[in-house]
Amino acid sequence: MDMGSRMPGERFPRGTRGRAAIGVALVAVLALVACGLAAERYGWAGFGADGDGAGTGGKRKPNVVMIMTDDQWLESVRVMDRTREIFGDEGVTFENYYPSMPICCPSRSTFLTGQFAHNNGVRHNSTPLGGYAKLKTEETLPVWMRRAGYATSHIGKYPNGYGKKDPEEVPPGWDEWRGSVDPTTYRMWGYRLNENGKLKTYGNPRDEDPDLYQTDVYRDKAADFIKRKSAQDKPFFLDVAFLAPHGELLGKKGGKKKGPGKGPRGGEADRPQVGPAPRPAPRHKGKFADEPLPRMPAYGEEDMSDKPAFLRDYPKLGDDAETRREITASYRGRLESLLAVDEAVGKLVSTLREAGQLDNTYLVFAADNGFFFGQHNVPTGKFLPHEASGHVPMMIRGPGIEGGTPSRAMSSNVDLAATITDIGGAKPGLTLDGRSLLPYARDPRRTTDRPVLHEGAEGARPTPIPEKGGPAKGADAWSGRRAAAGDLDQDGEASPRRTRKRKPKHGEPYTAAYESLRTERYLYVRYTRGGRELYDLKTDPYELDSKHDDPAYADVRKGLEKALGTLQGCKGDACNKDLGELPEPKG
């Protein structure tokens, strides 16, 4: 007889009551053991009956605080002393972390869905291939975390284009919403927030009021959320998305920024175009006024013969002193903007500590993509999978994670949703393409041979666009052509613009859309309309000598090509298979 199926009021047959009592006791013991194992794994104990994560006399489920920066390159973390201390000493740095598509909207959409662009459909920053309108908001990370009993809050930037159609929209899953409305997202002053359905503008773009600096306002709103929710018997998921170090979009009415890094000069469309830095907090202005560009062997690369056509056609930086000054000014300003972010990270941690929640909170810090500063003759920009834009900072700290040892496991932003839902015991409403990074954070020496997939715009498709023939037409090649034409920011007006008088020569008739595979040793790029790159990062960490036509690497390329063909249209567990051993280069 199934003792668990007895109807209300039904009596057990004589002689079975003792056995039933023993069975119930055993079930209770097993349940307690299971809860104990879960508590040991996740750092919490005891769910409430309503699934809110609250326990009687025990810890609640762990909180999660996600901190994301915009266009932050790997090397820049050196100026963030608090962040390095918080995560380096008591957390794990993932040294091989790469966004699947290194531009804002696709990267953030991958974070929210746990899927590659070829599955979530967001392949660019704006229409027709991408933008917020392409994101299926009904099934995203905040929805899953709220279902798991979390109080959820978003503060700051959301996928590009949010608010353009309906600035009062609150996306599903967020209990508290303070999203920046585009295009004001790209202003350090004069930005507009949708605060739970009500619009509020902070300051004026031309008035640098220290009290309304965007990063500081986001910081204070995040700290306030932590204080309020820490006093409640419910776990929280907080997502804070800072604009820094992304450049500003001020527009004509906002007093368009002048000076170094303002873009093409004198109507010369073929001159290098440099994207300006955002304005730092007034207290940090000039902190890096004398900071030189770091040593970058790929800066102004002289021999570009191994690069695809659109990169070969870029204006050569060489000894162009004026362009170098502009790039240096942009670099310095972006570093200065990160100082306020560093202070914000410190305040969030101190707020958690004061609220008694730090030991029960996972903090995740990551950039959406990196940034070029003259490497391979790209003056400023992103989009491409190279080290400059494709390799970014990511760190985790929290219960069960011992600090001090970095992880070299290959990881990607496609893993973020899997990691956060693993922490929260949430059930995703989509098939996730990533894997949880918790096991790798708890044991930083653990690693696998899973490669990382990069995909660029319309190149993210199981069947590549044919390599030969004229340029692709229509929406299918819009983004790749735009990138090939020299616009590697692809942020609309935030990007350096072409002049109307002359079209740039870059990339015609080729497109910069691509599929790419990355291992700890190799980067292989297959461009959708022609061109290949293969770098042996063991011997060539600066990507100066592509081996795609080198006979010694023929078998290596063949193995990478095969693996890329498998991953290009992967879904779910198929995206997480180990690559296996590649042959060594010959000779």
Side-chain angles (χ1 to χ4, degrees):
M1 177 179 179
D2 181 3
M3 299 300 177
S5 62
R6 185 170 62 91
M7 298 297 292
E10 180 181 353
R11 294 179 181 272
F12 289 118
R14 184 174 297 179
T16 64
R17 291 184 181 178
R19 293 194 298 274
I22 293 172
V24 170
L26 286 172
V27 169
V29 169
L30 291 172
L32 288 172
V33 171
C35 286
L37 291 173
E40 181 181 356
R41 181 179 183 187
Y42 296 112
W44 51 267
F47 283 159
D50 60 357
D52 64 0
T56 303
K59 276 188 176 181
R60 64 189 187 183
K61 295 169 73 172
N63 311 305
V64 182
V65 176
M66 177 75 212
I67 302 168
M68 186 169 287
T69 53
D70 198 339
D71 287 6
Q72 184 177 1
W73 63 106
L74 186 64
E75 173 267 345
S76 65
V77 180
R78 67 182 173 83
V79 306
M80 304 177 72
D81 294 338
R82 298 171 183 82
T83 302
R84 288 189 294 108
E85 180 180 354
I86 288 166
F87 287 96
D89 294 348
E90 300 182 30
V92 172
T93 297
F94 282 78
E95 294 184 338
N96 289 315
Y97 177 82
Y98 303 88
S100 57
M101 190 183 298
I103 53 172
C104 303
C105 192
S107 178
R108 292 167 190 267
S109 298
T110 290
F111 155 60
L112 290 167
T113 63
Q115 293 186 330
F116 287 113
H118 65 256
N119 288 326
N120 67 36
V122 184
R123 299 180 176 180
H124 192 52
N125 281 348
S126 54
T127 56
L129 290 178
Y132 174 72
K134 284 278 190 177
L135 179 65
K136 298 177 178 64
T137 57
E138 296 80 9
E139 286 294 342
T140 52
L141 182 58
V143 174
W144 310 331
M145 293 297 280
R146 188 159 74 172
R147 286 175 187 164
Y150 278 75
T152 59
S153 173
H154 172 80
I155 299 169
K157 180 174 178 176
Y158 218 50
N160 301 54
Y162 165 74
K164 285 189 174 181
K165 182 177 181 181
D166 180 6
E168 296 181 352
E169 175 193 0
V170 176
W174 298 110
D175 294 315
E176 294 192 16
W177 176 257
R178 294 174 179 85
S180 58
V181 177
D182 278 359
T184 73
T185 296
Y186 300 95
R187 300 174 187 167
M188 287 305 192
W189 286 273
Y191 51 93
R192 174 179 286 188
L193 300 184
N194 173 350
E195 300 189 319
N196 299 318
K198 296 182 179 180
L199 301 178
K200 182 177 179 180
T201 299
Y202 288 79
N204 185 304
R206 290 164 290 183
D207 181 12
E208 298 184 4
D209 184 345
D211 293 332
L212 297 178
Y213 186 64
Q214 188 194 94
T215 302
D216 295 348
V217 171
Y218 291 178
R219 174 200 66 195
D220 293 342
K221 289 182 181 296
D224 176 69
F225 176 82
I226 290 172
K227 290 177 183 177
R228 288 186 289 105
K229 296 305 174 182
S230 294
Q232 301 175 10
D233 196 18
K234 190 174 186 177
F236 55 81
F237 168 48
L238 171 62
D239 178 36
V240 189
F242 295 108
L243 173 63
H246 192 292
E248 286 188 75
L249 162 59
L250 298 177
K252 295 180 181 178
K253 294 182 179 180
K256 191 168 180 63
K257 195 172 181 182
K258 298 180 181 180
K262 65 183 179 181
R265 300 175 295 276
E268 297 181 61
D270 291 329
R271 290 296 302 273
Q273 303 176 29
V274 178
R279 288 170 290 178
R283 62 187 179 276
H284 297 140
K285 190 174 295 185
K287 290 289 186 180
F288 294 109
D290 298 322
E291 191 77 9
L293 278 177
R295 178 182 175 274
M296 296 183 293
Y299 180 93
E301 185 175 354
E302 292 184 7
D303 183 1
M304 297 285 287
S305 61
D306 59 332
K307 301 296 186 288
F310 74 92
L311 281 177
R312 292 199 304 270
D313 288 342
Y314 259 64
K316 301 301 185 289
L317 299 182
D319 297 326
D320 185 341
E322 184 178 358
T323 297
R324 188 176 182 91
R325 281 193 295 269
E326 290 188 358
I327 294 173
T328 303
S330 183
Y331 175 79
R332 290 169 174 169
R334 291 170 192 264
L335 285 181
E336 290 174 356
S337 75
L338 284 170
L339 295 178
V341 176
D342 188 45
E343 293 173 353
V345 173
K347 181 167 183 176
L348 297 186
V349 169
S350 64
T351 303
L352 286 164
R353 183 181 290 111
E354 292 166 4
Q357 290 296 320
L358 182 58
D359 290 340
N360 194 40
T361 299
Y362 284 90
L363 290 101
V364 184
F365 180 100
D368 60 352
N369 53 258
F371 208 67
F372 283 94
F373 290 102
Q375 298 95 324
H376 313 303
N377 288 301
V378 178
T380 51
K382 47 219 181 187
F383 183 81
L384 298 175
H386 302 78
E387 285 287 303
S389 60
H391 196 178
V392 301
M394 201 282 278
M395 299 164 276
I396 300 178
R397 62 163 286 167
I401 296 176
E402 295 183 6
T405 303
S407 169
R408 294 200 57 81
M410 298 297 293
S411 54
S412 170
N413 58 346
V414 77
D415 300 322
L416 293 177
T419 303
I420 293 171
T421 53
D422 188 10
I423 291 170
K427 184 178 180 180
L430 298 172
T431 299
L432 301 187
D433 297 334
R435 64 185 180 191
S436 174
L437 297 178
L438 269 186
Y440 302 90
R442 292 206 167 106
D443 181 5
R445 294 165 295 183
R446 177 175 178 170
T447 187
T448 70
D449 292 328
R450 183 198 72 165
V452 167
L453 174 69
H454 290 294
E455 46 190 16
E458 62 271 20
R461 54 176 57 198
T463 303
I465 297 174
E467 297 173 27
K468 297 181 180 180
K473 297 180 179 180
D476 278 349
W478 178 82
S479 171
R481 289 204 311 269
R482 183 172 166 181
D487 182 6
L488 292 177
D489 272 357
Q490 305 217 16
D491 285 332
E493 293 180 67
S495 303
R497 303 179 186 177
R498 309 188 215 180
T499 66
R500 294 182 180 180
K501 294 181 179 180
R502 297 174 59 200
K503 293 182 179 180
K505 298 177 181 178
H506 321 324
E508 298 177 355
Y510 297 98
T511 173
Y514 62 85
E515 297 91 21
S516 177
L517 190 76
R518 180 184 288 276
T519 71
E520 189 168 1
R521 179 170 179 176
Y522 295 109
L523 173 64
Y524 179 60
V525 191
R526 180 177 68 199
Y527 291 94
T528 311
R529 299 286 285 177
R532 299 288 187 271
E533 291 177 272
L534 170 58
Y535 298 104
D536 186 341
L537 302 175
K538 182 179 179 180
T539 60
D540 180 24
Y542 301 106
E543 305 159 329
L544 297 174
D545 184 16
S546 177
K547 303 293 187 181
H548 64 281
D549 280 336
D550 188 335
Y553 284 80
D555 290 341
V556 175
R557 173 176 166 173
K558 184 177 179 180
L560 292 170
E561 183 80 29
K562 181 179 179 180
L564 179 55
T566 300
L567 274 183
Q568 190 180 354
C570 70
K571 185 174 183 179
D573 290 342
C575 301
N576 293 292
K577 293 182 179 180
D578 288 355
L579 175 63
E581 190 173 351
L582 288 170
E584 285 291 317
K586 296 178 181 179

